[in-house]
Amino acid sequence: MYAFNYHRPGSLAEATKLIAANTEAKLLAGGQTLIPTLKQRLAQPGDVIDLGGIAELKGIKVEGGSVVIGAMTRHGEVASSAEVKKAIPALAALAGGIGDPQVRNLGTIGGSIANSDPAADYPAAALGLGATIHTSKRQIPADKFFTGMFETALEEGEIIVKVAFPAPKRAAYQKFENPASRYAIVGVLVAETANGVRVAVTGAAPSVFRWTEAEAALGKSFAAGALDGLKAKADGLNADIHASAEYRAHLIGVMARRAVAACG
Amino acid sequence: MPTVSMTVNGKTVSRDVEARTLLVQFLREHLNLTGTHVGCDTSQCGACVVHVDGRSVKSCTMLAAQANGASVTTIEGLAQGDKLHPMQEAFREHHALQCGFCTPGMIMSAIDLVKRNPNPSEETIRHELEGNICRCTGYHNIVKAVKAAAANM
């Protein structure tokens, strides 16, 4: 790891001031991606701003039919929260399937979403449930947030404060995981919401995306059989030693059907 | 250099360290607590697991500065004098180690899992130990030991 200056602001106001003064600085949330990146010397920030000391970024609240999760809330806290389990059980289950228990004790929702890893689980929850990302500057709908591989709509110096998930009528997440890392080779979140059916796919493409053909089919009939004959296109999907683009396209259909079936 | 202070195994410690110092380096190289091991150094194997404020974490993937003000427990902090912690005793009793390299991390993860699941099934134990790798593949006896310890904790 290269040397850096370490900052630990005690408030969001202090953190935004620090990052505004030094846009090359890196924000440290749970560190489960950033610290390995620094250890491999793939990044060399002069300054690291640790968000771990900011109380206003932590915690889970249920407000008017939405589950609102502070950016620095750990995956393990979301997975074991009685409130999340009651309001959006699919969200608690998704958080409980990230990495392993020790990773879940440090990794945060804000860090995961800001990183926009193509194989991460939380982007599927944010996009599939139609979440709103509240930042230090504005509110961004999930549909406009994830813009590419490790790319988001966040501007320089913008900090995620919380993520609001409207509770769906029903939802489920199913993933075909890499058995070593437990990242999604393909993960699909299906949700029946007040504004129609949403199907979000992670792991398959450079960025999480909505499978609109499946949404239309499930909008007519919310049953796994409604997806019969529907095939996701392999064009533009990821291919690596774990799965070809064609295999990933096939898995999207399988995981989507399983998710619909798991909705009950 | 930032000053990092924390409570380690009940004792307050304070050191001036480079900001890039990992928690595991702080424990091993600055406090000479070498019971916590570095295996893969890539957050996968779990040999470096310690408790920070009661929760198990991989100390190779956390800066010492992030644990400033926290209470840290390592494998050295479990026994009370000559009396082993029930999890350590169960590992000895059930021969849950061969080379022993993964053992400190296994024990720290296992204590956290029993705290959250006081009466874990074999399936739960295997699932909860996903973050710890034993290259001797001694999992069978590790699972037996965790189950036995859970009854005594």
Side-chain angles (χ1 to χ4, degrees):
Chain A
M1 209 180 310
Y2 295 109
F4 53 78
N5 300 309
Y6 174 83
H7 308 268
R8 192 175 168 92
S11 69
L12 182 62
E14 202 186 324
T16 49
K17 207 186 267 181
L18 277 167
I19 190 86
N22 184 354
T23 52
E24 296 301 308
K26 280 277 181 197
L27 296 170
L28 174 61
Q32 299 304 282
T33 299
L34 180 59
I35 290 178
T37 305
L38 295 175
K39 284 166 72 176
Q40 292 180 74
R41 296 193 164 186
L42 294 172
Q44 191 177 4
D47 295 82
V48 169
I49 302 168
D50 181 1
L51 303 175
I54 305 176
E56 61 203 284
L57 297 182
K58 295 175 191 171
I60 297 167
K61 274 186 230 153
V62 176
E63 295 173 347
S66 283
V67 174
V68 183
I69 303 177
M72 284 299 291
T73 308
R74 317 282 174 180
H75 308 326
E77 291 167 332
V78 175
S80 62
S81 158
E83 284 171 303
V84 179
K85 280 187 195 169
K86 189 167 165 231
I88 316 181
L91 182 60
L94 176 144
I98 299 171
D100 57 48
Q102 289 71 41
V103 168
R104 293 196 287 275
N105 280 340
L106 287 176
T108 65
I109 187 169
S112 172
I113 286 177
N115 192 43
S116 187
D117 188 301
D121 298 300
Y122 263 131
L127 188 62
L129 295 167
T132 301
I133 292 98
H134 296 242
T135 77
S136 51
K137 292 182 179 169
R138 60 196 163 130
Q139 297 182 14
I140 310 172
D143 281 309
K144 299 226 161 96
F145 186 81
F146 301 99
T147 55
M149 187 178 275
F150 299 110
E151 298 279 343
T152 68
L154 289 171
E155 293 166 0
E156 277 189 355
E158 190 170 14
I159 300 174
I160 299 177
V161 175
K162 58 190 179 183
V163 185
F165 295 90
K169 288 180 198 156
R170 49 187 169 165
Y173 177 67
Q174 292 287 310
K175 75 167 156 174
F176 191 82
E177 64 182 23
N178 178 317
S181 69
R182 285 169 289 280
Y183 270 109
I185 291 175
V186 169
V188 178
L189 189 133
V190 173
E192 191 182 9
T193 75
N195 303 314
V197 176
R198 296 173 70 97
V199 178
V201 180
T202 190
S207 173
V208 65
F209 68 93
R210 285 172 67 183
W211 188 17
T212 48
E213 291 88 348
E215 291 179 352
L218 292 169
K220 287 189 199 125
S221 160
F222 195 84
L227 299 176
D228 285 350
L230 203 60
K231 284 198 170 119
K233 290 182 194 73
D235 293 351
L237 296 190
N238 299 335
D240 54 31
I241 57 164
H242 304 296
S244 65
E246 291 73 22
Y247 186 54
R248 278 191 162 85
H250 176 70
L251 282 177
I252 292 171
V254 175
M255 293 301 121
R257 283 178 186 79
R258 284 188 191 171
V260 174
C263 282
Chain B
M1 277 200 284
T3 302
V4 174
S5 306
M6 62 184 85
T7 306
V8 178
N9 299 332
K11 271 194 277 187
T12 307
V13 297
S14 193
R15 296 284 188 281
D16 293 337
V17 295
E18 279 195 84
R20 59 180 165 173
T21 307
L22 296 167
L23 178 58
V24 72
Q25 292 173 315
F26 186 80
L27 296 170
R28 288 178 58 86
E29 296 167 22
H30 295 269
L31 304 181
N32 296 323
L33 292 171
T34 53
T36 302
H37 292 166
V38 178
C40 69
D41 202 19
T42 54
S43 339
Q44 297 178 67
C45 80
C48 66
V49 171
V50 301
H51 294 179
V52 175
D53 290 332
R55 279 181 296 195
S56 61
V57 304
K58 293 184 170 173
S59 62
C60 80
T61 312
M62 182 175 191
L63 299 174
Q66 285 178 282
N68 194 30
S71 175
V72 174
T73 305
T74 71
I75 189 77
E76 290 94 340
L78 294 180
Q80 311 244 321
D82 288 340
K83 195 172 159 23
L84 293 178
H85 184 280
M87 189 63 74
Q88 292 173 304
E89 192 56 54
F91 267 61
R92 183 165 77 169
E93 180 70 25
H94 293 270
H95 192 61
L97 61 155
Q98 290 181 45
C99 84
F101 193 86
C102 73
T103 309
M106 283 284 179
I107 288 178
M108 299 313 285
S109 290
I111 291 170
D112 188 22
L113 99 78
V114 172
K115 257 197 271 171
R116 284 178 290 112
N117 309 274
N119 187 18
S121 65
E122 179 183 338
E123 192 190 354
T124 302
I125 294 168
R126 289 184 184 274
H127 181 64
E128 285 279 331
L129 288 178
E130 274 183 343
N132 292 77
I133 296 172
C134 166
R135 287 317 315 261
C136 305
T137 68
Y139 297 103
H140 196 64
N141 285 354
I142 290 170
V143 173
K144 269 203 266 180
V146 175
K147 208 160 173 24
N152 294 326
M153 274 173 66

